[in-house]
Amino acid sequence: MTQFNHAKLFRQSCLAAAVSMFAVQSIFALENLSDASLAETTGEGIALLPENFKMVFQGPNDVSASSSYNKAGLVDPSKYDTGFIRIIPVGEDYTKYATSTEDLTKKRTKADIFIYGLALSESDANINSRFSNKGFTWGSEANPWLFRAGTANSIKQFQASNANSDISYLGIEAPLARVDASEADNNIKLGLWLDAFSRSWNSNNKVDPITGAPVTANAANDTDLLKDQRIRLQLVANGLSLNGSQVRLFQTQASNVAQQNKTLGMATLLRLNTNDDPSKLVYANTTTNKDLLNAKALRIGTQATNDGTAVTPALDRSFAPIFDANEGLYLYSPNINLVLGNMYQPFILGSEGKNIILEVTRIPNVPEIYKQIYTYYADVEKGTNTEYKGSTCNVASCGTNIVTTGTGSSIVNYQGTNATHSSISIGSVTRDPVTNYLKANTALDSTGVVFRGSGTAAPVNLGSAVIDGVLIQHLKIKTTGL
């Protein structure tokens, strides 16, 4: 396995360098290295291992020098989660279509988004809390995060006239997911809440360079930052794992399409998994089913029991809202595995004038390329065809498994990273171990998508869902009007 060999050699070389440094006699002074000696030096990458990691965005109005979560006696420390990221999307200029000033104010083509309380911590049994105040360890010494350089061998892109060539890339790779799922990798809680406003074209969107907030001193001075133009919600993902995810950046090969010709290409595998075996998830249609209520899930809620004192805390440093403990949309055991581009079919970032293009390039009618991407679905009549290398990524399998070197119990099987098809599953889902196909459970006690109200309102269970074997033939997103 290339990644582990590189990481192991990298750690060994660092250790050897450290030992030799301490072993030299003190009479030798440090000397500059010549360009020739530097040219002979090679580097594999950097291994990262977050241990006991946790973070939360809190505002400058915190009650103590440290986090309010460590302050004794606070009933709800989450009300201080008001540190924010501000995003100001601006649409096309519609002033030429306005017939009057009043008409212009109705053209709501701006937005103002404040993402508050962004938090990462160890998962717990509370799907309502955004932050558990517990640290988590992400990966291991044998299976860390890697930021490294690598080479993909004998690749052809875009057209038949391109010769197969080696492509160098720069990659960031999360720890690999284990085949036996024995590693405690579903242990992350992600939380945030946000305020998003719809604003008219002629509204003021200036930013205070110190605080990042609007320059308006309070809501009364900005008629566009009003509650009736706002959506407020809380998002909590409990039991999350990103293991197996990776992003690789490289220069694409020559192409007849100008925006694809020798530009920035990406091969992206995004894995957001919460449950290694969701087939055992069952649902009791009652409001007292607390085990399911606190299960591994993605929850989005909009009902606040205490809405705070202002339109949004960025204006006057008011407290964060407190959300209802039950209300919201619950996606139980979501397992999302998305393939956005690969070395044979790049996901590119390009431009046309001032406009930005995001494109998963079209799969060409070139056997050397499409046979590396397509899957040959075998049956009794067709049999198998090993020329087609494509496969589907899900929570249990993601291409060709990787076996580390060693003997006996030291051998570890990791899931691959070379799948070309995507899958999305929510709730109670079964997997065929031979074909790797996913199937949503149809039994009455299966669950997945659930809407819950506040108080004693009966929940609405829509059951489980699966989208399996998704292949992006071509996807293009382009901005306009810039």
Side-chain angles (χ1 to χ4, degrees):
M1 175 184 164
T2 304
Q3 294 98 319
F4 286 105
N5 289 338
H6 284 179
K8 182 178 180 182
L9 291 173
F10 179 74
R11 285 193 293 269
Q12 289 175 344
S13 62
C14 288
L15 178 61
V19 171
S20 61
M21 182 183 298
F22 287 108
V24 298
Q25 298 183 24
S26 59
I27 59 174
F28 293 105
L30 296 176
E31 297 181 359
N32 294 330
L33 293 175
S34 65
D35 290 341
S37 61
L38 285 174
E40 297 175 355
T41 304
T42 61
E44 302 294 350
I46 300 174
L48 304 174
L49 179 58
E51 293 182 302
N52 195 28
F53 178 83
K54 60 181 178 179
M55 58 154 279
V56 59
F57 279 22
Q58 294 202 305
N61 57 343
D62 195 1
V63 296
S64 67
S66 59
S67 170
S68 63
Y69 289 90
N70 299 326
K71 184 74 173 180
L74 291 180
V75 177
D76 196 333
S78 67
K79 68 180 183 180
Y80 297 99
D81 295 347
T82 57
F84 64 89
I85 300 171
R86 188 183 181 198
I87 304 173
I88 312 173
V90 178
E92 188 173 354
D93 184 356
Y94 287 97
T95 55
K96 58 185 177 182
Y97 303 118
T99 58
S100 65
T101 303
E102 180 182 1
D103 187 28
L104 179 58
T105 60
K106 296 178 181 178
K107 303 292 185 181
R108 310 200 71 82
T109 59
K110 287 184 182 179
D112 214 342
I113 303 172
F114 300 90
I115 301 175
Y116 293 99
L118 181 64
L120 284 174
S121 57
E122 185 180 55
S123 60
D124 57 13
N126 189 349
I127 195 64
N128 184 48
S129 72
R130 297 186 295 271
F131 184 66
S132 69
N133 199 26
K134 298 178 181 179
F136 61 87
T137 297
W138 205 341
S140 63
E141 292 184 1
N143 186 22
W145 280 82
L146 288 176
F147 182 69
R148 70 183 187 93
T151 302
N153 299 319
S154 189
I155 303 295
K156 181 192 289 288
Q157 299 171 345
F158 303 131
Q159 52 206 31
S161 58
N162 283 338
N164 287 26
S165 63
D166 296 344
I167 297 180
S168 299
Y169 61 83
L170 184 66
I172 181 168
E173 304 171 4
L176 293 177
R178 290 181 61 143
V179 172
D180 57 10
S182 61
E183 220 169 27
D185 52 1
N186 301 122
N187 63 341
I188 302 170
K189 169 175 281 194
L190 167 67
L192 60 89
W193 71 277
L194 66 81
D195 282 340
F197 297 87
S198 171
R199 307 187 69 176
S200 59
W201 173 259
N202 62 350
S203 63
N204 178 12
N205 65 347
K206 293 183 179 180
V207 177
D208 186 315
I210 298 177
T211 65
V215 295
T216 355
N218 54 61
N221 293 333
D222 193 331
T223 57
D224 228 23
L225 279 175
L226 300 174
K227 287 187 177 182
D228 59 358
Q229 303 293 343
R230 182 196 74 189
I231 181 173
R232 169 170 283 180
L233 61 83
Q234 174 182 250
L235 181 147
V236 179
N238 199 44
L240 188 64
S241 170
L242 272 71
N243 283 10
S245 300
Q246 65 177 25
V247 178
R248 293 179 174 179
L249 306 177
F250 52 89
Q251 184 186 58
T252 61
Q253 293 178 348
S255 172
N256 295 328
V257 181
Q259 290 80 19
Q260 301 174 3
N261 183 43
K262 296 183 178 180
T263 188
L264 175 63
M266 293 179 283
T268 305
L269 177 60
L270 181 61
R271 306 190 67 184
L272 304 173
N273 294 305
T274 60
N275 197 332
D276 295 321
D277 186 9
S279 63
K280 299 177 181 179
L281 183 64
V282 296
Y283 175 73
N285 192 19
T286 66
T287 57
T288 59
N289 188 8
K290 296 300 182 182
D291 290 337
L292 186 60
L293 185 64
N294 295 324
K296 296 176 179 179
L298 171 65
R299 177 191 172 188
I300 301 174
T302 59
Q303 182 175 341
T305 57
N306 182 346
D307 200 34
T309 58
V311 179
T312 192
L315 291 174
D316 65 352
R317 297 186 177 181
S318 57
F319 290 139
I322 305 301
F323 288 85
D324 186 274
N326 297 315
E327 179 271 343
L329 166 64
Y330 291 74
L331 303 179
Y332 288 108
S333 296
N335 289 323
I336 302 170
N337 296 269
L338 299 179
V339 180
L340 295 175
N342 56 67
M343 300 304 293
Y344 297 91
Q345 184 194 16
F347 178 28
I348 68 165
L349 175 62
S351 65
E352 286 184 1
K354 295 182 179 180
N355 289 295
I356 299 172
I357 296 175
L358 296 175
E359 181 179 12
V360 179
T361 57
R362 191 185 307 275
I363 300 176
N365 187 21
V366 178
E368 290 176 274
I369 299 176
Y370 67 69
K371 287 185 177 181
Q372 299 292 334
I373 301 171
Y374 290 156
T375 296
Y376 190 89
Y377 293 97
D379 59 24
V380 177
E381 296 180 358
K382 295 180 181 178
T384 59
N385 190 327
T386 57
E387 292 182 354
Y388 291 85
K389 308 297 184 181
S391 59
T392 297
C393 186
N394 56 44
V395 66
S397 178
C398 195
T400 307
N401 288 343
I402 302 168
V403 181
T404 61
T405 58
T407 58
S409 60
S410 65
I411 298 178
V412 180
N413 291 333
Y414 291 95
Q415 296 179 27
T417 58
N418 60 343
T420 56
H421 294 53
S422 307
S423 70
I424 301 174
S425 64
I426 301 172
S428 182
V429 173
T430 57
R431 169 182 170 269
D432 189 312
V434 177
T435 63
N436 199 36
Y437 298 162
L438 299 180
K439 182 179 180 181
N441 291 354
T442 57
L444 293 177
D445 60 355
S446 64
T447 191
V449 181
V450 177
F451 289 89
R452 293 181 180 273
S454 60
T456 59
V460 178
N461 177 24
L462 302 183
S464 57
V466 166
I467 304 174
D468 195 28
V470 177
L471 175 64
I472 300 177
Q473 296 277 1
H474 183 216
L475 174 66
K476 186 174 183 178
I477 301 174
K478 176 184 174 182
T479 61
T480 60
L482 299 182

